[in-house]
Amino acid sequence: MNAWIRLIGGGILLFFMPLTIGGIADLFAERSGVLCMCVEGIMVGGAFFGVLMIRLFSETMAVWPLLALSIVVSMIAGLLIGLLHGFAAIHLKAEQNISSTAINNFVPALTMLISKSVFGTDTFTYSSNKFICCPSK
């Protein structure tokens, strides 16, 4: 029974929360009249650029400022991708579902291209002796 509680608390909720937050953001966007199906693309772009910042500056910066910087960079990347969707929908008069689908296809491909060109690989492997964790009780 204790293993199930650890699985639900540590594993399932860890992966469930970003999708829930993205769904709530999409709910607010749709209530305001914007069809934003590109939430997944925005999340992929933000996560990629946040991890990229951690990967590039992990040896030169302290842990907590690096974490704060990567969160800010993730938010800026998501904002720029959302602005791209807004520009296409408002100024270019594109259909919002077509623009969202294009962003959902383009952003993961762009992250793979950047990953290949910068690191020469499709995947990230990260190893460090710096850990961000809760203090033990």
Side-chain angles (χ1 to χ4, degrees):
M1 183 69 169
N2 203 7
W4 282 102
I5 293 172
R6 280 188 299 214
L7 177 69
I8 291 172
I12 294 173
L13 290 178
L14 180 70
F15 292 108
F16 181 70
M17 287 310 296
L19 294 175
T20 303
I21 293 170
I24 291 170
D26 191 28
L27 176 75
F28 282 119
E30 288 187 14
R31 290 285 295 164
S32 68
V34 177
L35 178 65
C36 186
M37 297 185 312
C38 59
V39 174
E40 293 87 5
I42 292 171
M43 289 171 56
V44 166
F48 174 76
F49 285 106
V51 169
L52 185 66
M53 288 300 296
I54 290 174
R55 174 101 186 239
L56 292 177
F57 295 109
S58 65
E59 300 300 323
T60 60
M61 289 183 68
V63 174
W64 292 108
L66 179 62
L67 180 65
L69 179 67
S70 68
I71 290 172
V72 169
V73 167
S74 296
M75 291 189 310
I76 291 171
L79 175 73
L80 291 176
I81 295 168
L83 285 175
L84 177 68
H85 174 61
F87 177 76
I90 295 169
H91 291 291
L92 300 179
K93 306 275 192 243
E95 290 288 329
Q96 293 179 14
N97 56 356
I98 302 298
S99 171
S100 294
T101 304
I103 288 173
N104 277 339
N105 290 328
F106 175 71
V107 171
L110 179 69
T111 59
M112 294 300 288
L113 176 72
I114 293 171
S115 178
K116 277 186 178 181
S117 65
V118 172
F119 302 110
T121 181
D122 291 341
T123 60
F124 277 114
T125 55
Y126 179 72
S127 62
S128 176
N129 57 359
K130 298 178 182 179
F131 293 104
I132 299 173
C133 64
C134 300
S136 60
K137 293 181 180 179

